[in-house]
Amino acid sequence: VQLQASGGGLVQAGGSLRLSCAASGRTFSRYAMGWFRQAPGEEREFVATISWSGGNTYYADSVKGRFTISRDNAKNTVYLQMNSLKPEDTAVYYCAYGPWTGFEVRDYNYWGQGTQVTVSS
């Protein structure tokens, strides 16, 4: 499976970004997708995950109410809409592909290359 993340950039606090992750090479619709992030000097942390049907979504407490994960199985793409961004959201964001909606790095088999999100104060 190849995952290509895009949509990162520099935004002011309070602004919005939408990340996309396009999958190829394997059946997309029967697998969960997740977003993680990693700030410099920090471990990679869970952000959000979505079930294969899109019917179940889960979020880290730090982003709940501000971020929305969604997917379009016809386009083999998962999205992360990020609103009300804060400087502490600054990190490299990674999409991931796995068999269930896990909250841990080890729950996912394939990873995208990451896209940088920088939020200025």
Side-chain angles (χ1 to χ4, degrees):
V1 175
Q2 293 79 46
L3 302 175
Q4 181 70 43
S6 61
L10 173 64
V11 64
Q12 288 189 329
S16 298
L17 283 174
R18 188 175 83 152
L19 306 183
S20 300
C21 176
S24 61
R26 195 164 180 173
T27 302
F28 177 79
S29 61
R30 292 290 178 174
Y31 287 81
M33 295 293 296
W35 286 98
F36 287 71
R37 66 187 182 186
Q38 188 167 18
E42 303 290 332
E43 293 188 352
R44 194 169 297 190
E45 66 173 6
F46 169 75
V47 174
T49 184
I50 186 167
S51 61
W52 68 268
S53 68
N56 294 300
T57 57
Y58 305 94
Y59 298 91
D61 287 344
S62 59
V63 307
K64 202 171 293 183
R66 300 188 298 122
F67 291 10
T68 303
I69 189 171
S70 61
R71 67 191 293 163
D72 184 339
N73 287 342
K75 296 182 178 180
N76 288 351
T77 301
V78 64
Y79 305 97
L80 185 69
Q81 178 66 44
M82 305 186 295
N83 298 330
S84 302
L85 282 161
K86 304 175 181 180
E88 51 262 45
D89 294 318
T90 295
V92 177
Y93 283 70
Y94 297 89
C95 58
Y97 171 106
W100 58 76
T101 49
F103 299 170
E104 304 291 337
V105 169
R106 63 176 178 265
D107 294 327
Y108 295 85
N109 308 110
Y110 299 94
W111 293 82
Q113 86 287 0
T115 184
Q116 176 71 47
V117 172
T118 303
V119 184
S120 63
S121 57

